[in-house]
Amino acid sequence: RNPDRGWIATANNNHVGDDYPYPISHYYAMPDRFVRIKEMITGKQKLDTRDFAKMQADFYVVLPREWVPLILEALSGKQFSEKEKKAIAALKKWNFVAGTEDIGPTVFHATVNEMVKNTFRKRLGDDLYGQYLKNKYVVFNTLRNLIAARQSRWFDDPDTAEKEGIKELIGKSFSEAVAYLDKKMGSNADDWKWGKLHTLTIYHPFGKSSSLMGYFMNIGPYPIGGSFATVNPQPYKLTEPWEGYHGASLRYIVDFADRKNSRRVIPAGISGNFLSPHYDDQAELWRTGKYRPFVLDRESVEADARYRMKMLPG
């Protein structure tokens, strides 16, 4: 309450330390989004609405900052195919921003998916593993703890006589990820752009069950950046990669010094009628991190009004 630092941020993360005396829950999002928000808030002495717009659109992924060096270390000294060499080069030059034109996030996320599979699937069994994947918070928080410890019997393949560790897990997962991308996206590794794999469709309730109705009612698919732990959240289901399935239902910035400078945006539009021009007229704004005015005073509301509805007694 009223912290000395002068700001509060939340990203579904754990807000209390280990010394907090009361049990709340262990069901928390990864800390990455909060870490990144903190970096951006404390990175400047003064912030304006443009800074907060950049925050809400931010696609920087904190997790590979920890894991990419570990992956590269585990892969060093091995022999690789040409495609694997290109994938390693993409990881080395990646700036950890999950942009649609980047190859690094494609290689990283595919490798992480294989790491999840190779850590948990055999020991849990297919049925329990399928249920386990539905809770990405538990999956990634657990895997992060195991990797931070650098050793765990979870890394050992129970079907082999050898005892595998973290390096073997990463090496196997990386090779399987490259093979997967080769089959999924083609043999040219230069085409493994994140936006080709990671897409977003805003579905109408009727459009998801019928391709014909979906042609008229769905919005997208669009290439989309971001990831499961970016400040601009664009997660995918581990059970059904790679389509984004949720994100910010509303973005708004309120300028208390000048309320007319406030802005907002929603994912599609204000109308549920797919024939209306306002059915999807905010989709591109939302996708690209842009806004429309957030009118809060009566004068601006009157000027901004497009339609008027009168409700009369029967």
Side-chain angles (χ1 to χ4, degrees):
R1 180 179 293 173
N2 295 332
D4 292 337
R5 66 191 180 199
W7 56 270
I8 295 173
T10 177
N12 301 330
N13 55 296
N14 184 0
H15 289 289
V16 299
D18 294 336
D19 58 345
Y20 192 71
Y22 308 108
I24 301 177
S25 135
H26 293 287
Y27 183 63
Y28 296 112
M30 297 163 64
D32 302 50
R33 297 179 68 230
F34 175 81
V35 168
R36 179 61 177 158
I37 292 169
K38 180 180 179 180
E39 289 175 354
M40 289 188 285
I41 286 180
T42 58
K44 291 182 68 175
Q45 196 69 25
K46 290 185 178 181
L47 301 164
D48 59 23
T49 55
R50 290 169 296 183
D51 293 306
F52 286 101
K54 289 179 182 177
M55 289 184 201
Q56 292 184 353
D58 189 68
F59 282 152
Y60 185 92
V61 195
V62 170
L63 187 63
R65 193 163 64 191
E66 301 174 20
W67 284 7
V68 165
L70 186 64
I71 292 171
L72 296 176
E73 179 186 347
L75 298 176
S76 64
K78 298 180 181 293
Q79 296 295 318
F80 296 104
S81 67
E82 288 303 313
K83 289 189 185 71
E84 289 172 333
K85 289 178 182 178
K86 283 193 172 185
I88 291 172
L91 284 178
K92 285 181 176 178
K93 70 178 184 179
W94 184 32
N95 63 358
F96 308 144
V97 176
T100 56
E101 296 296 306
D102 297 319
I103 299 170
T106 307
V107 176
F108 175 76
H109 288 93
T111 301
V112 168
N113 277 20
E114 296 299 328
M115 288 168 62
V116 169
K117 181 192 73 177
N118 290 325
T119 301
F120 300 114
R121 184 173 183 174
K122 286 185 179 179
R123 291 187 178 275
L124 292 179
D126 287 344
D127 290 343
L128 184 56
Y129 176 71
Q131 294 298 317
Y132 188 63
L133 289 187
K134 293 179 180 179
N135 189 329
K136 65 179 183 298
Y137 289 171
V138 172
V139 171
F140 285 113
N141 284 328
T142 301
L143 187 59
R144 195 179 216 146
N145 288 338
L146 295 176
I147 288 178
R150 294 294 193 271
Q151 57 183 357
S152 171
R153 62 181 179 178
W154 285 92
F155 299 150
D156 180 41
D157 186 341
D159 292 342
T160 65
E162 297 80 12
K163 186 174 182 180
E164 290 85 6
I166 189 170
K167 286 190 175 182
E168 289 77 17
L169 169 78
I170 291 174
K172 182 175 189 291
S173 299
F174 172 77
S175 295
E176 289 178 352
V178 171
Y180 167 84
L181 292 173
D182 181 54
K183 183 178 180 180
K184 177 81 173 176
M185 303 188 73
S187 59
N188 185 358
D190 293 331
D191 288 337
W192 296 353
K193 296 179 180 179
W194 184 229
K196 286 189 174 182
L197 186 66
H198 187 234
T199 62
L200 175 70
T201 300
I202 302 175
Y203 289 99
H204 188 282
F206 297 155
K208 198 160 190 178
S209 56
S210 165
S211 58
L212 176 61
M213 298 180 80
Y215 177 81
F216 295 101
M217 295 181 171
N218 295 341
I219 303 169
Y222 300 113
I224 195 75
S227 182
F228 45 75
T230 46
V231 177
N232 181 352
Q234 300 294 341
Y236 55 86
K237 294 180 180 179
L238 291 173
T239 52
E240 302 173 52
W242 297 89
E243 187 176 65
Y245 70 98
H246 82 78
S249 58
L250 167 67
R251 297 192 192 109
Y252 64 90
I253 300 168
V254 178
D255 187 342
F256 288 103
D258 178 9
R259 287 193 301 165
K260 291 185 178 182
N261 192 37
S262 302
R263 57 188 83 170
R264 66 176 171 179
V265 69
I266 58 177
I270 62 170
S271 174
N273 176 5
F274 73 96
L275 296 175
S276 166
H278 306 299
Y279 179 67
D280 60 357
D281 59 350
Q282 296 187 52
E284 188 65 11
L285 295 174
W286 183 89
R287 187 180 74 87
T288 57
K290 298 181 176 66
Y291 298 81
R292 66 179 305 276
F294 187 4
V295 291
L296 295 167
D297 61 284
R298 177 167 291 277
E299 179 185 353
S300 298
V301 170
E302 295 284 352
D304 191 59
R306 302 287 182 89
Y307 310 97
R308 294 180 184 273
M309 179 172 67
K310 291 185 178 180
M311 303 179 71
L312 305 174

